Amino acid sequence: MKGLRPTRAVVDLDALARNFHTLSGRVAPDCAVMPVVKADGYGHGAGVVARRLQREGATSFAVAVVEEAAELRRDGVAGEILVMGWIGQDQLPDLIRHGLVANAHSLELLAELAAFSEARRTVLPLHLKLDTGMTRLGLLPADLPDAIALLQRSAFLRVEGAFQNFASADDEADGQSVAQIDCFAEMVRALELGGVRVPMVHVANSAGTLASPRWPASLPPPARVRPGL
């Protein structure tokens, strides 16, 4: 349309690669960077961004919804893709079709995943999403007894990890991040005591990666960080 200003965005993939390696150098050698490429890679082009990061050494990615993960697969992105947000019942077959890792952020979703995997006789890998204070999505401490019972009854759900989201990691003076980590440690301990092994944990977003709060001795070292924005 005449009269509109032309708008052009230039995405520097070399700068993106440098950022990836800078963050990789700030974490422990056995901690991997799992790029979050939700919302079309924060507007930078999810497929292009993920393919470049894959060439730079990224072996796993995280997205918000199943549709974003399916798009990455269509763009040729390999490796693990974790869906961190809402998953609808009609999307469950896509978890298998595209080889995705689900999250379980509520008792309802956990029950749906268990019933689906049982009906398909197919093992589903998943990460337990724990709400430690973000109050967005996640299993609450009060949900854990029922979650443990569901997991113990399921022959086809494979817990591969647990994670949480920081609410204010960019404010180092705010004690909320430390409180969230302590809550997370208590919840992981409750899961383990209930017979649900948690092989891997990850908690840090971009700000949490750059300014990690105190880490409890009771938790295993974080296996991944999830920088995005």
Side-chain angles (χ1 to χ4, degrees):
M1 182 181 296
K2 294 180 66 175
L4 291 180
R5 291 178 298 172
T7 302
R8 183 165 174 259
V10 177
V11 178
D12 188 336
L13 294 177
D14 291 334
L16 177 80
R18 287 194 296 273
N19 288 343
F20 174 78
H21 289 297
T22 296
L23 288 173
S24 297
R26 292 184 68 108
V27 298
D30 55 352
C31 181
V33 175
M34 173 193 266
V36 179
V37 289
K38 64 183 182 179
D40 194 27
Y42 292 85
H44 292 69
V48 174
V49 163
R51 288 197 304 272
R52 175 59 185 268
L53 291 175
Q54 195 166 252
R55 291 199 298 273
E56 298 299 326
T59 58
S60 62
F61 298 91
V63 295
V65 293
V66 170
E67 292 88 345
E68 293 173 334
E71 182 180 346
L72 290 181
R73 291 295 194 226
R74 286 192 293 270
D75 284 342
V77 177
E80 179 183 318
I81 302 178
L82 170 65
V83 180
M84 296 195 298
W86 183 86
I87 302 173
Q89 264 193 316
D90 61 335
Q91 297 175 316
L92 298 183
D94 286 334
L95 297 174
I96 298 174
R97 184 178 300 117
H98 299 295
L100 310 177
V101 179
N103 85 93
H105 57 68
S106 69
L107 291 174
E108 293 77 14
L109 176 56
L110 187 57
E112 289 172 1
L113 291 168
F116 174 77
S117 62
E118 175 73 27
R120 292 292 185 99
R121 313 294 290 177
T122 300
V123 173
L124 279 183
L126 79 154
H127 291 200
L128 300 174
K129 186 169 188 174
L130 308 181
D131 185 356
T132 63
M134 182 73 173
T135 66
R136 187 163 61 190
L137 287 174
L139 293 163
L140 296 166
D143 295 328
L144 292 187
D146 288 338
I148 289 168
L150 269 168
L151 289 166
Q152 288 177 335
R153 291 195 301 268
S154 174
F156 294 96
L157 291 183
R158 184 176 68 221
V159 175
E160 294 188 344
F163 69 104
Q164 65 99 59
N165 290 329
F166 283 127
S168 56
D170 52 349
D171 184 356
E172 295 184 51
D174 187 347
Q176 183 174 6
S177 294
V178 172
Q180 285 190 253
I181 288 290
D182 289 340
C183 179
F184 183 75
E186 292 173 7
M187 293 180 75
V188 170
R189 176 172 169 77
L191 288 165
E192 297 269 5
L193 288 174
V196 177
R197 182 172 175 270
V198 180
M200 166 180 61
V201 298
H202 49 101
V203 302
N205 56 1
S206 300
T209 301
L210 294 170
S212 300
R214 172 184 54 79
W215 193 253
S218 61
L219 274 177
R224 297 176 184 173
V225 291
R226 305 187 311 268
L229 184 59

